[in-house]
Amino acid sequence: MTTSAHPLVTRARRLAAELLVPEAERVDQEGVPASHIAAVKRSGLLGVVAPVAYGGSGAPPAVLRQTAEILAGACCATWFVQTQHHTPVQTLTQSELPVRERLLGPLARGELLSGVAYAHLRSYPRVPVRVRREGGGWRFDGTVPWYTGWGLNDVLLLAGVTDTGEVLFAFAEARDQPGLRASAPMRLAALTAARTVSLELAGLWLPEEAVALRTPYERWAPGDRARTLNAGPAVFGVAEAALSLLDEERAAPLRARLADVRRRAYALADHPVPLERAEERLAVRAQAYEVLRTATTAAVVAGGGRSMALTSRAQRLAREALFLLVQGQTAETRTAHLRALTGG
């Protein structure tokens, strides 16, 4: 079976055509509704890479990438909320701790939606969230600068660093509670609809049974670095959506460039040694952003003055492209991207 013929890809296309695309401009202004999340849960897409034994589909990475392209191109805000879910699923799949048996099934089957709060780990040795032993569990203190999907997620996977330099990931209910308070939703240039907040942690206590991962930072960091080196599928999905707004004569050369950089990006993503060819990965990542910028700019130009209306699809895609420039950014990827842009 080809990736394009996979049942989950078919479901993603149907969800995009029947719900996400028609509602995307309204969602952009009003926020991702709970009904969109319910539709994603019903679709089976939350379990795309989850083990079959737990109710998931166990699909290969190529299927996850293609469904992500489809969702991001249709409604980037909805894509961004649901894409957080795959990290908790993958974390539990690799975990041998008791929380796996409690949560992996509900997450794989789409009964629960999980968010993530771990990007702040990339600022190490600065530690925005500290964890220490307390009673039969763990106490979290500090600030999570960015958390997406507040009010839509059922649970969140929260990370912090212990005094001994371990990273610890544990699940909590995604709601205000003693020791956890969310800010008001942030107003952003793009993807305000994804309901992003900051989280203040002041003695949030989670039991030992909530822990999904505990490992030295030095052991965790290379895997996280590998994830950030490659161009993400949302870049290609939004670029493809922008090209669909052009006539074929003008879209054709850009579509060829997009196909070429996508092919090279995914070949690198599938390379058996994730940290090999890092410079090439970063170069291809920057090239993908350049095609995205060109495609979304072309869509705005083609739309003329109409592109300035908040109801314009071209204008929304251009703002989403700005968001993708910094989404998942690290010091390493920022430096490489600036070098590509400035030649220095």
Side-chain angles (χ1 to χ4, degrees):
M1 180 190 300
T2 65
T3 300
S4 296
H6 194 282
L8 287 178
V9 174
T10 301
R11 288 183 213 169
R13 286 200 183 102
R14 184 181 305 121
L15 181 66
E18 295 179 357
L19 177 64
L20 301 186
V21 170
E23 296 287 324
E25 277 66 60
R26 183 181 67 81
V27 166
D28 177 60
Q29 295 302 306
E30 299 178 9
V32 176
S35 56
H36 271 41
I37 298 306
V40 172
K41 287 180 173 181
R42 290 193 302 269
S43 71
L45 292 168
L46 294 179
V48 58
V49 294
V52 173
Y54 287 82
S57 295
V63 173
L64 177 62
R65 290 194 294 253
Q66 189 162 358
T67 57
E69 282 192 28
I70 293 166
L71 297 183
C75 177
C76 201
T78 301
W79 162 78
F80 193 51
V81 171
Q82 67 81 42
T83 200
Q84 317 293 318
H85 181 89
H86 300 296
T87 294
V89 167
Q90 290 165 340
T91 301
L92 286 174
T93 298
Q94 299 165 9
S95 178
E96 296 179 354
L97 297 174
V99 71
R100 170 187 170 119
E101 298 307 313
R102 179 168 64 86
L103 285 181
L104 184 52
L107 294 177
R109 295 188 296 270
E111 296 164 7
L112 297 176
L113 177 71
S114 182
V116 291
Y118 78 93
H120 50 276
L121 293 180
R122 294 171 183 151
S123 64
Y124 190 84
R126 188 169 66 85
V127 181
V129 177
R130 295 190 175 275
V131 189
R132 63 179 174 84
R133 275 282 188 190
E134 186 171 280
W138 298 89
R139 175 186 171 121
F140 289 76
D141 290 280
T143 301
V144 175
W146 304 92
Y147 178 81
T148 295
W150 188 255
L152 297 170
N153 297 318
D154 302 295
V155 296
L156 65 91
L157 182 60
L158 172 64
V161 179
T162 70
D163 290 340
T164 57
E166 289 184 310
V167 295
L168 187 144
F169 285 71
F171 282 93
E173 292 185 29
R175 59 175 179 82
D176 280 334
Q177 56 189 287
L180 188 161
R181 183 181 295 271
S183 72
M186 298 180 188
R187 295 291 300 171
L188 305 172
L191 273 71
T192 288
R195 304 196 194 185
T196 297
V197 299
S198 63
L199 301 177
E200 291 299 324
L201 307 169
L204 174 67
W205 185 86
L206 297 175
E208 185 69 41
E209 308 85 72
V211 175
L213 175 68
R214 182 182 170 195
T215 191
Y217 180 86
E218 291 76 14
R219 186 177 299 169
W220 173 83
D224 181 65
R225 178 185 177 227
R227 285 189 289 272
T228 65
L229 291 176
N230 297 304
V235 171
F236 303 118
V238 172
E240 193 70 61
L243 293 181
S244 73
L245 301 180
L246 304 179
D247 63 60
E248 189 52 37
E249 180 182 358
R250 289 177 170 82
L254 287 174
R255 190 165 283 121
R257 286 173 56 190
L258 180 65
D260 175 65
V261 73
R262 179 198 278 123
R263 175 186 57 77
R264 290 185 286 123
Y266 288 168
L268 288 166
D270 289 334
H271 190 280
V273 184
L275 292 175
E276 267 191 16
R277 300 163 67 178
E279 290 303 314
E280 183 180 359
R281 293 174 190 271
L282 290 169
V284 171
R285 187 178 190 271
Q287 291 165 24
Y289 284 129
E290 177 61 19
V291 176
L292 173 65
R293 181 192 65 80
T294 304
T296 53
T297 300
V300 169
V301 172
R306 296 185 303 276
S307 297
M308 292 301 98
L310 290 177
T311 54
S312 163
R313 187 178 181 200
Q315 173 263 130
R316 172 178 59 81
L317 292 169
R319 287 188 290 106
E320 291 170 352
L322 288 176
F323 169 82
L324 292 174
L325 290 178
V326 298
Q327 186 254 329
Q329 187 185 66
T330 66
E332 181 180 25
T333 61
R334 180 187 301 112
T335 299
H337 195 180
L338 287 172
R339 186 184 305 119
L341 289 169
T342 63

